[in-house]
Amino acid sequence: MTHLEARGVVKAYGRTPALGGVTLDVAEGEIVAVTGPSGCGKSTLLHCLAGILRPDAGEVTWRGARIDTWSEAARSRLRRTEFGVLFQFGQLVAELTAAENVALPLLLAGTGRREARTAALTWLDRLGVAEVADVRPGEMSGGQQQRCATARALITEPRVLFADEPTGALDTLAGEQVLTQLVRLAREQRTTVVLVTHEPRIAAYADREVMLRDGLVDHTGLGLDTPLAGGHR
Amino acid sequence: MSTQHVLLGLLAGGARHGYELKRAHDARLPRARPLAFGQVYATLARLQRDGLVVPAGQERDGGPDRTAYALTDEGRAALEHWLSTVEPPVPYVASTLFAKVVVALLAADVDRARAYLTAQRRAHTARLRELTAVKTAPSATLDDVVAADFAIAHLDADLRWLHTTLDRVADWHREVHS
Ligand SMILES: Nc1ncnc2c1ncn2[C@@H]1O[C@H](COP(=O)(O)OP(=O)(O)OP(=O)(O)O)[C@@H](O)[C@H]1O
Ligand SMILES: [Mg+2]
């Protein structure tokens, strides 16, 4: 059974074509970078895989089940339980502290307050931002916010993490620290990661790279899409 | 960077004199150090000794400086081999990468240049991934990280150039041959 799979995924926004038939297989525990120039369809593909957008044609399957035909409610449940999503700008809730933000997915899933807070503190610590636990996003740096958002995306221990330019708003060092943590934690928990980026050095954190061009997988970069010999997992 | 191969590339379009080669070199590789005439003749002598070029006639009133040189079949093969060899992805190969693409455009066509750029991009990407794996390993020390960062930063600069040049190569070819 395949883990996460797109088959001939087509998506347009009105008359603007975004994906022209993308086929992609992601194995369990694999970290895959999706790269390509601006506007090539990376974010659209990520949204289709994560069940946020429904493709116009083609299929998305998750552990053998076709999820693109599921109802919005069923897909949103999937995103709360099995999937985690992380965007360029953390999208933390401004009124809540870091710990409250990170605990949110657990609270939504019915975990008790105290237990959720303890878990949130653990995750903030893992991402090296324990000190901002009781601070609101408005008083944090961009890097701290992004680490909180990462902790929030990982706290449910999702089986797949979808990250769209997760370090796009950070400087080089902050970006590398967030990614290093993210990749280490993902490998530890065998979390599958789909990492969208236009930067080669960010893509290098992945096991392999899938390049898009004009809404299609670009095979001229052939060879980038094979994992490192010997692997490191 | 290999001056020998650049000269072979400049001769791919037909026989040229030493001073023409120097001019063409300095014009095509404006960021490289200008070639000294002495270096041009010394390189041509070495190429001739190795059978890669042959004298192709002298101007009537010219001295040795006025000798034109032409590629031999061996010379053409040596050039082709150089163009199809990916550079080891180590820091500071940028000027060689640049020279290879220029020569590919002059001596061959857009597809040749693209094939080289794509192969080089693959080699660079694989190396970048290896170095990144080294620094994200849980056992990595700060020494490892800082050393890897140095190489990563340089390879990343090359890679950005490889990416943008792949997109520009068709326009560039048109300009070079206009
Ligand atoms: N909400 C939208 N409405 C209309 N067109 C859209 C929308 N979102 C994306 N597009 C178009 O779809 C195409 C693919 O966009 P997408 O956002 O997937 O690209 P991307 O590869 O993520 O680009 P970037 O690197 O700039 O984020 C583009 O032509 C874009 O203009
Ligand atoms: Mg995008």
Side-chain angles (χ1 to χ4, degrees):
Chain A
M1 183 172 57
T2 59
H3 191 58
L4 179 67
E5 188 180 4
R7 282 272 161 270
V9 166
V10 174
K11 180 75 192 174
Y13 299 94
R15 282 178 162 179
T16 313
L19 297 176
V22 172
T23 294
L24 172 69
D25 248 309
V26 184
E28 183 164 13
E30 194 178 27
I31 302 182
V32 177
V34 177
T35 63
S38 186
C40 69
K42 302 181 295 294
S43 297
T44 305
L45 177 61
L46 180 127
H47 283 76
C48 287
L49 287 170
I52 299 169
L53 281 177
R54 287 175 78 156
D56 301 333
E59 309 182 352
V60 177
T61 57
W62 160 243
R63 300 173 59 75
R66 239 190 109 168
I67 58 169
D68 57 288
T69 52
W70 287 8
S71 68
E72 173 50 41
R75 282 182 285 127
S76 126
R77 190 159 49 245
L78 182 67
R79 289 199 301 275
R80 277 202 309 274
T81 53
E82 314 259 37
F83 292 174
V85 186
L86 180 60
F87 294 109
Q88 178 169 2
F89 300 99
Q91 300 183 327
L92 299 174
V93 181
E95 294 76 21
L96 301 180
T97 65
E100 288 164 349
N101 264 289
V102 174
L104 205 54
L106 290 185
L107 295 172
L108 288 175
T111 308
R113 278 200 173 273
R114 186 174 307 219
E115 197 185 326
R117 175 165 171 94
T118 309
L121 294 179
T122 305
W123 277 96
L124 284 171
D125 189 45
R126 278 188 192 154
L127 281 142
V129 280
E131 74 278 6
V132 298
D134 297 311
V135 176
R136 291 195 171 75
E139 289 138 50
M140 295 182 217
S141 74
Q144 289 168 331
Q145 290 182 36
Q146 203 59 2
R147 284 162 199 245
C148 293
T150 308
R152 186 180 60 182
L154 291 173
I155 196 169
T156 55
E157 305 199 2
R159 305 184 65 158
V160 187
L161 176 70
F162 295 94
D164 194 348
E165 305 275 5
T167 58
L170 305 181
D171 68 35
T172 309
L173 185 57
E176 303 229 328
Q177 286 168 341
V178 169
L179 266 177
T180 299
Q181 286 302 357
L182 192 152
V183 165
R184 279 187 188 160
L185 292 168
R187 293 204 194 288
E188 231 173 80
Q189 309 194 339
R190 279 186 66 74
T191 309
T192 305
V193 180
V194 179
L195 172 66
V196 163
T197 180
H198 64 276
E199 292 191 69
R201 71 193 287 167
I202 300 299
Y205 282 80
D207 301 318
R208 68 183 168 113
E209 183 174 335
V210 174
M211 220 186 275
L212 293 187
R213 174 171 291 267
D214 298 332
L216 292 169
V217 176
D218 179 359
H219 290 287
T220 60
L222 228 58
L224 298 177
D225 49 350
T226 44
L228 274 182
H232 41 85
R233 271 185 290 126
Chain B
M1 195 189 55
S2 168
T3 304
Q4 290 198 31
H5 291 102
V6 173
L7 293 194
L8 290 178
L10 293 173
L11 289 172
R16 288 190 192 198
H17 297 99
Y19 69 88
E20 288 174 331
L21 286 173
K22 181 215 160 19
R23 291 242 176 85
H25 171 278
D26 295 352
R28 289 296 172 199
L29 299 169
R31 297 279 171 270
R33 205 144 30 95
L35 268 189
F37 280 110
Q39 202 183 345
V40 176
Y41 296 116
T43 307
L44 283 169
R46 221 172 308 128
L47 291 171
Q48 184 178 356
R49 179 201 66 199
D50 295 342
L52 304 181
V53 302
V54 284
Q58 253 177 33
E59 281 177 20
R60 214 170 300 153
D61 59 348
D65 290 3
R66 309 298 281 179
T67 308
Y69 289 84
L71 275 189
T72 61
D73 287 345
E74 288 81 7
R76 214 167 273 286
L79 174 64
E80 181 53 36
H81 178 73
W82 184 69
L83 285 177
S84 57
T85 308
V86 163
E87 293 299 313
V90 294
Y92 303 130
V93 292
S95 62
T96 310
L97 303 191
F98 179 68
K100 254 189 200 186
V101 179
V102 172
V103 171
L105 286 180
L106 286 171
D109 55 13
V110 176
D111 288 341
R112 189 82 202 71
R114 267 210 193 104
Y116 169 67
L117 284 164
T118 306
Q120 190 68 54
R121 181 177 66 181
R122 196 180 313 138
H124 265 62
T125 301
R127 184 77 189 115
L128 198 66
R129 226 190 278 159
E130 281 170 16
L131 289 162
T132 305
V134 165
K135 71 180 237 193
T136 52
S139 57
T141 63
L142 203 48
D143 279 344
D144 297 333
V145 172
V146 172
D149 272 345
F150 176 83
I152 285 170
H154 287 86
L155 291 175
D156 183 52
D158 290 352
L159 258 176
R160 282 166 193 273
W161 179 80
L162 289 166
H163 275 277
T164 44
T165 305
L166 261 167
D167 287 334
R168 286 184 172 143
V169 82
D171 290 340
W172 193 14
H173 184 259
R174 231 169 285 126
E175 213 172 283
V176 165
H177 289 276
S178 66

